[in-house]
Amino acid sequence: MTIFLWILLIALMIATLVALIRGIVTFLRTTEADLKGTGPSVAGLKSNKMMQARIFFQAMAILVVVLILALSGRAG
């Protein structure tokens, strides 16, 4: 069980990093035309979506860490 949680934690950390990098790259590609346009741009919406995914993956990683700590406290 603990090995599975460690693998899950590593996968969530990698997913967090990927979502962060993709969100930053999308944000940096925002052009002046996107900023002057009316309403949210496609790049802005994609950047927001990636940052929301990052927050989700971070929250899941924190929950897995708490679970690992709780299980290791019982075993010790």
Side-chain angles (χ1 to χ4, degrees), residues 61-75:
I62 290 170
L63 289 175
V64 170
V65 168
V66 168
L67 191 57
I68 289 171
L69 291 174
L71 290 175
S72 67
R74 286 186 188 169

Side-chain angles (χ1 to χ4, degrees), residues 1 3 23-24 27 32-34 37 42-43 46 55-56 59 69-70 72:
M1 177 77 169
I3 298 296
I24 290 172
F27 175 74
E32 188 175 339
D34 290 334
V42 174
K46 184 175 180 184
I55 292 169
F56 172 76
L69 291 174
S72 67

Side-chain angles (χ1 to χ4, degrees), residues 9-56:
L9 178 62
I10 291 170
L12 287 168
M13 291 189 307
I14 292 170
T16 301
L17 183 63
V18 169
L20 175 65
I21 291 170
R22 287 185 66 194
I24 290 172
V25 167
T26 304
F27 175 74
L28 292 176
R29 288 187 179 173
T30 303
T31 63
E32 188 175 339
D34 290 334
L35 297 174
K36 289 184 178 179
T38 58
S41 66
V42 174
L45 292 174
K46 184 175 180 184
S47 179
N48 284 341
K49 184 177 178 182
M50 292 312 304
M51 290 300 132
Q52 289 172 355
R54 178 190 56 85
I55 292 169
F56 172 76

